Amino acid sequence: ADGIILTGGEDINPILYGDTSNLALCEPINHRRDSLEQKLFDYAFRHKVPLMGVCRGMQMMNVATGGSLYGDLPSEIGIEVVHRNNGEAIHDIVVTDTCSLIFPLGKDTFTVNSWHHQGLKDISAYLQVVAKSHDGLAEAVVMYKAFHPFMIAVQFHPERLEKEDPVHLQMRESFHQAIGLQKK
């Protein structure tokens, strides 16, 4: 594979990050998908294949490298920011560290979509948080280059942002460059 994208989807089994108390908070778990995505992540990590994570994909990046998740954001961190509201919600995020792989330079606040009830709790030592929502939840991460040349992830869904959204365009361009596709 030239590149791998881990997409959004079901809750990750909390047993993978050692938190059986989260089992009661989870929606249906897809054990087969958990196993497959763990193998895809491990392959990308070992072979330095570019990887991009979206929503659950960001959560899997964190879990696969030793981090953990909040089982249910409203009950664990509150409702200052609504991350899911009978479907997709909209909220702002703030860039906390410059990352031109995800965010266009010159702006530090972006409006994103949101459709999740889980999020990163204990951040893996392999990952750097580069954006957060106003409740402090990690919204974008990159893997430190000492561990991998290109792994980026966001909690929101750039593929559902406007076609000309600057974050959508920046992420797509960065991924295309990482996998060797030239802009046409």
Side-chain angles (χ1 to χ4, degrees), residues 140-155:
V141 297
V142 296
M143 183 166 288
Y144 289 108
K145 291 204 181 287
F147 299 114
H148 193 281
F150 186 92
M151 279 197 184
I152 64 174
V154 294
Q155 188 59 65

PDB file of all heavy atoms in Angstrom, residues 140-155:
ATOM      1  N   ALA A 140      -6.854  17.066  16.830  1.00  0.00           N
ATOM      2  CA  ALA A 140      -5.918  16.719  15.758  1.00  0.00           C
ATOM      3  C   ALA A 140      -4.587  16.335  16.388  1.00  0.00           C
ATOM      4  O   ALA A 140      -4.153  16.962  17.357  1.00  0.00           O
ATOM      5  CB  ALA A 140      -5.731  17.893  14.792  1.00  0.00           C
ATOM      6  N   VAL A 141      -3.969  15.292  15.824  1.00  0.00           N
ATOM      7  CA  VAL A 141      -2.668  14.829  16.312  1.00  0.00           C
ATOM      8  C   VAL A 141      -1.772  14.486  15.130  1.00  0.00           C
ATOM      9  O   VAL A 141      -2.255  14.204  14.030  1.00  0.00           O
ATOM     10  CB  VAL A 141      -2.787  13.578  17.237  1.00  0.00           C
ATOM     11  CG1 VAL A 141      -3.582  13.886  18.496  1.00  0.00           C
ATOM     12  CG2 VAL A 141      -3.373  12.389  16.502  1.00  0.00           C
ATOM     13  N   VAL A 142      -0.486  14.522  15.382  1.00  0.00           N
ATOM     14  CA  VAL A 142       0.506  14.015  14.435  1.00  0.00           C
ATOM     15  C   VAL A 142       1.445  13.112  15.219  1.00  0.00           C
ATOM     16  O   VAL A 142       1.665  13.306  16.410  1.00  0.00           O
ATOM     17  CB  VAL A 142       1.313  15.140  13.742  1.00  0.00           C
ATOM     18  CG1 VAL A 142       0.413  16.011  12.891  1.00  0.00           C
ATOM     19  CG2 VAL A 142       2.071  15.983  14.735  1.00  0.00           C
ATOM     20  N   MET A 143       1.982  12.123  14.525  1.00  0.00           N
ATOM     21  CA  MET A 143       2.973  11.284  15.170  1.00  0.00           C
ATOM     22  C   MET A 143       4.320  11.990  15.049  1.00  0.00           C
ATOM     23  O   MET A 143       4.655  12.550  14.000  1.00  0.00           O
ATOM     24  CB  MET A 143       3.058   9.896  14.530  1.00  0.00           C
ATOM     25  CG  MET A 143       4.057   9.001  15.254  1.00  0.00           C
ATOM     26  SD  MET A 143       3.936   7.267  14.821  1.00  0.00           S
ATOM     27  CE  MET A 143       2.423   6.813  15.628  1.00  0.00           C
ATOM     28  N   TYR A 144       5.072  11.975  16.146  1.00  0.00           N
ATOM     29  CA  TYR A 144       6.403  12.569  16.124  1.00  0.00           C
ATOM     30  C   TYR A 144       7.235  11.907  15.030  1.00  0.00           C
ATOM     31  O   TYR A 144       7.233  10.685  14.880  1.00  0.00           O
ATOM     32  CB  TYR A 144       7.095  12.394  17.478  1.00  0.00           C
ATOM     33  CG  TYR A 144       6.511  13.255  18.577  1.00  0.00           C
ATOM     34  CD1 TYR A 144       5.750  12.678  19.589  1.00  0.00           C
ATOM     35  CD2 TYR A 144       6.715  14.632  18.591  1.00  0.00           C
ATOM     36  CE1 TYR A 144       5.202  13.466  20.610  1.00  0.00           C
ATOM     37  CE2 TYR A 144       6.174  15.427  19.603  1.00  0.00           C
ATOM     38  CZ  TYR A 144       5.424  14.831  20.613  1.00  0.00           C
ATOM     39  OH  TYR A 144       4.888  15.612  21.606  1.00  0.00           O
ATOM     40  N   LYS A 145       7.941  12.721  14.258  1.00  0.00           N
ATOM     41  CA  LYS A 145       8.736  12.215  13.130  1.00  0.00           C
ATOM     42  C   LYS A 145       9.832  11.247  13.557  1.00  0.00           C
ATOM     43  O   LYS A 145      10.291  10.443  12.760  1.00  0.00           O
ATOM     44  CB  LYS A 145       9.306  13.374  12.322  1.00  0.00           C
ATOM     45  CG  LYS A 145       8.229  14.133  11.583  1.00  0.00           C
ATOM     46  CD  LYS A 145       8.784  14.847  10.378  1.00  0.00           C
ATOM     47  CE  LYS A 145       7.704  15.612   9.671  1.00  0.00           C
ATOM     48  NZ  LYS A 145       6.783  14.792   8.936  1.00  0.00           N
ATOM     49  N   ALA A 146      10.255  11.292  14.812  1.00  0.00           N
ATOM     50  CA  ALA A 146      11.249  10.327  15.301  1.00  0.00           C
ATOM     51  C   ALA A 146      10.705   8.900  15.241  1.00  0.00           C
ATOM     52  O   ALA A 146      11.480   7.942  15.182  1.00  0.00           O
ATOM     53  CB  ALA A 146      11.655  10.668  16.738  1.00  0.00           C
ATOM     54  N   PHE A 147       9.362   8.763  15.236  1.00  0.00           N
ATOM     55  CA  PHE A 147       8.743   7.438  15.210  1.00  0.00           C
ATOM     56  C   PHE A 147       8.232   7.047  13.831  1.00  0.00           C
ATOM     57  O   PHE A 147       8.218   5.874  13.478  1.00  0.00           O
ATOM     58  CB  PHE A 147       7.573   7.366  16.200  1.00  0.00           C
ATOM     59  CG  PHE A 147       7.985   7.601  17.625  1.00  0.00           C
ATOM     60  CD1 PHE A 147       7.534   8.725  18.299  1.00  0.00           C
ATOM     61  CD2 PHE A 147       8.811   6.719  18.288  1.00  0.00           C
ATOM     62  CE1 PHE A 147       7.902   8.957  19.612  1.00  0.00           C
ATOM     63  CE2 PHE A 147       9.186   6.936  19.591  1.00  0.00           C
ATOM     64  CZ  PHE A 147       8.734   8.053  20.257  1.00  0.00           C
ATOM     65  N   HIS A 148       7.760   8.044  13.057  1.00  0.00           N
ATOM     66  CA  HIS A 148       7.180   7.755  11.743  1.00  0.00           C
ATOM     67  C   HIS A 148       7.195   9.034  10.905  1.00  0.00           C
ATOM     68  O   HIS A 148       6.892  10.109  11.416  1.00  0.00           O
ATOM     69  CB  HIS A 148       5.742   7.249  11.903  1.00  0.00           C
ATOM     70  CG  HIS A 148       5.183   6.640  10.665  1.00  0.00           C
ATOM     71  ND1 HIS A 148       4.704   7.389   9.615  1.00  0.00           N
ATOM     72  CD2 HIS A 148       5.027   5.346  10.308  1.00  0.00           C
ATOM     73  CE1 HIS A 148       4.272   6.585   8.664  1.00  0.00           C
ATOM     74  NE2 HIS A 148       4.458   5.339   9.049  1.00  0.00           N
ATOM     75  N   PRO A 149       7.495   8.939   9.605  1.00  0.00           N
ATOM     76  CA  PRO A 149       7.591  10.152   8.792  1.00  0.00           C
ATOM     77  C   PRO A 149       6.262  10.850   8.500  1.00  0.00           C
ATOM     78  O   PRO A 149       6.237  12.059   8.274  1.00  0.00           O
ATOM     79  CB  PRO A 149       8.234   9.667   7.494  1.00  0.00           C
ATOM     80  CG  PRO A 149       7.998   8.199   7.458  1.00  0.00           C
ATOM     81  CD  PRO A 149       7.893   7.739   8.879  1.00  0.00           C
ATOM     82  N   PHE A 150       5.126  10.106   8.472  1.00  0.00           N
ATOM     83  CA  PHE A 150       3.853  10.752   8.159  1.00  0.00           C
ATOM     84  C   PHE A 150       2.687   9.959   8.729  1.00  0.00           C
ATOM     85  O   PHE A 150       2.221   8.999   8.122  1.00  0.00           O
ATOM     86  CB  PHE A 150       3.656  10.910   6.647  1.00  0.00           C
ATOM     87  CG  PHE A 150       2.418  11.697   6.293  1.00  0.00           C
ATOM     88  CD1 PHE A 150       2.476  13.069   6.115  1.00  0.00           C
ATOM     89  CD2 PHE A 150       1.186  11.062   6.144  1.00  0.00           C
ATOM     90  CE1 PHE A 150       1.334  13.802   5.794  1.00  0.00           C
ATOM     91  CE2 PHE A 150       0.036  11.774   5.823  1.00  0.00           C
ATOM     92  CZ  PHE A 150       0.114  13.146   5.649  1.00  0.00           C
ATOM     93  N   MET A 151       2.221  10.371   9.886  1.00  0.00           N
ATOM     94  CA  MET A 151       0.961   9.891  10.438  1.00  0.00           C
ATOM     95  C   MET A 151       0.262  11.102  11.025  1.00  0.00           C
ATOM     96  O   MET A 151       0.790  11.768  11.913  1.00  0.00           O
ATOM     97  CB  MET A 151       1.164   8.831  11.526  1.00  0.00           C
ATOM     98  CG  MET A 151       1.415   7.452  10.998  1.00  0.00           C
ATOM     99  SD  MET A 151       1.144   6.218  12.278  1.00  0.00           S
ATOM    100  CE  MET A 151       1.638   4.746  11.389  1.00  0.00           C
ATOM    101  N   ILE A 152      -0.912  11.404  10.476  1.00  0.00           N
ATOM    102  CA  ILE A 152      -1.722  12.522  10.952  1.00  0.00           C
ATOM    103  C   ILE A 152      -3.132  12.015  11.219  1.00  0.00           C
ATOM    104  O   ILE A 152      -3.566  11.027  10.624  1.00  0.00           O
ATOM    105  CB  ILE A 152      -1.754  13.688   9.945  1.00  0.00           C
ATOM    106  CG1 ILE A 152      -2.435  13.281   8.630  1.00  0.00           C
ATOM    107  CG2 ILE A 152      -0.346  14.213   9.682  1.00  0.00           C
ATOM    108  CD1 ILE A 152      -2.644  14.417   7.636  1.00  0.00           C
ATOM    109  N   ALA A 153      -3.840  12.684  12.123  1.00  0.00           N
ATOM    110  CA  ALA A 153      -5.210  12.258  12.394  1.00  0.00           C
ATOM    111  C   ALA A 153      -6.017  13.413  12.957  1.00  0.00           C
ATOM    112  O   ALA A 153      -5.491  14.291  13.634  1.00  0.00           O
ATOM    113  CB  ALA A 153      -5.218  11.089  13.383  1.00  0.00           C
ATOM    114  N   VAL A 154      -7.317  13.369  12.670  1.00  0.00           N
ATOM    115  CA  VAL A 154      -8.256  14.369  13.185  1.00  0.00           C
ATOM    116  C   VAL A 154      -9.482  13.663  13.737  1.00  0.00           C
ATOM    117  O   VAL A 154      -9.853  12.577  13.288  1.00  0.00           O
ATOM    118  CB  VAL A 154      -8.665  15.383  12.094  1.00  0.00           C
ATOM    119  CG1 VAL A 154      -7.477  16.237  11.671  1.00  0.00           C
ATOM    120  CG2 VAL A 154      -9.293  14.698  10.889  1.00  0.00           C
ATOM    121  N   GLN A 155     -10.120  14.286  14.713  1.00  0.00           N
ATOM    122  CA  GLN A 155     -11.318  13.729  15.320  1.00  0.00           C
ATOM    123  C   GLN A 155     -12.558  14.027  14.486  1.00  0.00           C
ATOM    124  O   GLN A 155     -13.549  13.328  14.553  1.00  0.00           O
ATOM    125  CB  GLN A 155     -11.492  14.279  16.743  1.00  0.00           C
ATOM    126  CG  GLN A 155     -12.597  13.628  17.525  1.00  0.00           C
ATOM    127  CD  GLN A 155     -12.425  12.130  17.685  1.00  0.00           C
ATOM    128  OE1 GLN A 155     -11.488  11.671  18.316  1.00  0.00           O
ATOM    129  NE2 GLN A 155     -13.314  11.355  17.098  1.00  0.00           N
TER     130      GLN A 155
END
